[in-house]
Amino acid sequence: MPSDVSSMNYRPFIRRRRRWLFRKRWRALLCLLVGLLTIVVAACGEPSAPPAAAPLSGNCQRIEHAAGTTELCVQPQRVAALSPYILDMLLALGVEPVGFGAADMSEAMLRRPEFDDPPAQIPYLGQRLTTEPVNLGDRHSPSLETLTQVQPDLILGEVWQGNYELLSQIAPTVLVDDEPGGWQSSIQILAQALDKEPELAQVEATYETTIAQAQTQLSSIVAEYPRVLLLSSGNLTGEIYTYPCSEFSRLLEAIGFQLVSLENSSSCDSPTLSLEVVPQADADIVFVVAWDAEDQGNPEGWRNLKQDWNQVPLLQKMPVTEAGRVYFIDAHLSTLRGPIAAEIILEGYLNQLSSLE
């Protein structure tokens, strides 16, 4: 599923070669850092101990996940979240992390020791935090030194981030992969590790109810405008993709829409599309998951793509454009892509499509 290629590249697929390079690059660095920190702790004395995790009743549990099997013998109290995807699911389960690896941070934010103003610093999710998690740095290369200092009793991350064996030297580690089944698959693993099965059931029930309500609300629109072209772009003259295998596409299909394919875009690894191909789509509605390739630090920059779309003659002349059925949504949500993101994306669909009623 799309999410993680460069700091603000929302291309609808994951570059497996880049994941391999991440693993190779950070494997050696983590070994070095763990060794150095061991020496420092021995020289300077033990750091203040965090609250002790409560032992699990009965036997230890074994958590099967995307990178292997992790044994947990205590109830995790200090959880480190290595990406917004993990944070989305944690907050949905009612858990706040002690450390967080964010996406697309400015240099100034990277130097801050903690997220002391989460609503302003963590898009969409920060307003749900009541604590100030330690800043672990960018999700692509979280600070391993800071992660060690946080002393987590459980590290949660994504399998593309790699380094499972080395992260496990810091604390028990669970890595998930959203490609096989989206967040619905990943959150089950997290709920098991955190002993949050009742909360998981509530998350799933709420999601199903929300989908059912959206189906009812949009039924007449789906019947009249069934075909949707879902695109992703940060620059209409150079970066245009279809966006299958994403939370955006899954939600559209769950509501009842039919996704339109272009060229060889039926697989999850969608090729770059030429601008000339887009008008060939037989679509009743177009949604563009947008970001601003020229100003990646602008949280509202995705809105600029709407202006760009209306200035391209080929796109202006499309019947769907002339009918006013081209809509835009923030690509930042693709880094979340959990149950909270699903709720926000669906709300965006409902708000924009309500004009067709």
Side-chain angles (χ1 to χ4, degrees):
M1 175 168 178
S3 62
D4 297 288
V5 186
S6 83
S7 63
M8 188 55 186
N9 187 345
Y10 294 93
R11 297 179 60 171
F13 57 91
I14 300 176
R15 298 283 193 189
R16 288 178 172 79
R17 176 171 177 79
R18 181 162 186 176
R19 296 175 183 170
W20 177 82
L21 290 174
F22 278 133
R23 296 189 188 101
K24 183 176 180 181
R25 175 184 176 187
W26 291 104
R27 184 178 297 275
L29 180 58
L30 184 55
C31 284
L32 176 61
L33 286 172
V34 170
L36 289 175
L37 286 167
T38 300
I39 295 172
V40 170
V41 169
C44 301
E46 293 292 336
S48 57
L56 292 174
S57 59
N59 298 327
C60 299
Q61 65 169 333
R62 296 170 61 83
I63 309 298
E64 304 287 340
H65 55 94
T69 302
T70 296
E71 187 173 77
L72 291 177
C73 296
V74 297
Q75 178 66 45
Q77 302 295 319
R78 297 178 57 81
V79 180
L82 299 187
S83 74
Y85 178 53
I86 299 297
L87 181 61
D88 184 316
M89 292 183 287
L90 285 183
L91 292 176
L93 293 172
V95 176
E96 297 196 21
V98 295
F100 170 54
D104 317 312
M105 290 194 297
S106 66
E107 289 297 322
M109 187 62 234
L110 282 170
R111 293 193 294 268
R112 301 182 76 150
E114 62 187 7
F115 293 95
D116 51 10
D117 187 9
Q121 297 163 341
I122 304 175
Y124 298 108
L125 298 178
Q127 60 188 348
R128 298 171 183 256
L129 284 166
T130 62
T131 58
E132 298 178 358
V134 172
N135 183 358
L136 300 178
D138 188 277
R139 59 182 172 150
H140 291 107
S141 53
S143 170
L144 304 175
E145 179 181 4
T146 304
L147 182 59
T148 303
Q149 292 173 345
V150 166
Q151 296 182 273
D153 47 40
L154 178 62
I155 298 172
L156 298 175
E158 301 183 59
V159 71
W160 66 263
Q161 294 175 299
N163 296 322
Y164 169 64
E165 295 83 0
L166 299 172
L167 289 170
S168 296
Q169 295 180 27
I170 299 174
T173 299
V174 170
L175 303 182
V176 296
D177 183 0
D178 65 345
E179 286 191 2
W183 64 264
Q184 289 90 341
S185 176
S186 298
I187 199 172
Q188 292 185 26
I189 298 173
L190 268 57
Q192 180 188 1
L194 297 166
D195 193 22
K196 293 291 182 178
E197 279 78 5
E199 289 81 358
L200 171 62
Q202 183 59 54
V203 170
E204 293 174 333
T206 299
Y207 175 77
E208 294 299 328
T209 298
T210 303
I211 290 294
Q213 292 172 345
Q215 290 172 338
T216 299
Q217 186 172 341
L218 296 176
S219 60
S220 61
I221 295 173
V222 171
E224 187 171 359
Y225 308 105
R227 298 180 300 274
V228 175
L229 175 63
L230 180 64
L231 299 174
S232 175
S233 181
N235 181 346
L236 292 172
T237 61
E239 294 181 308
I240 305 177
Y241 318 91
T242 53
Y243 211 166
C245 307
S246 67
E247 193 60 30
F248 301 95
S249 62
R250 280 191 286 267
L251 284 168
L252 287 170
E253 291 178 316
I255 295 169
F257 288 107
Q258 305 166 20
L259 292 184
V260 175
S261 297
L262 285 173
E263 292 185 339
N264 297 319
S265 61
S266 59
S267 67
C268 291
D269 293 339
S270 299
T272 303
L273 299 174
S274 64
L275 188 63
E276 292 74 18
V277 171
V278 176
Q280 299 175 15
D282 182 18
D284 302 306
I285 295 170
V286 174
F287 268 104
V288 183
V289 181
W291 72 96
D292 187 349
E294 300 301 321
D295 187 4
Q296 298 179 3
N298 181 5
E300 295 295 318
W302 63 276
R303 299 182 186 275
N304 297 333
L305 208 69
K306 181 176 182 178
Q307 298 176 357
D308 296 344
W309 180 284
N310 293 325
Q311 293 173 0
V312 178
L314 276 174
L315 302 177
Q316 273 184 326
K317 296 177 182 179
M318 290 177 63
V320 70
T321 302
E322 294 176 341
R325 296 195 298 271
V326 179
Y327 306 100
F328 297 80
I329 195 163
D330 187 5
H332 277 99
L333 291 163
S334 67
T335 65
L336 277 63
R337 67 193 191 282
I340 296 175
E343 177 185 338
I344 298 170
I345 293 168
L346 190 56
E347 182 179 356
Y349 288 160
L350 291 170
N351 289 340
Q352 297 193 73
L353 292 176
S354 62
S355 62
L356 299 178
E357 294 180 328

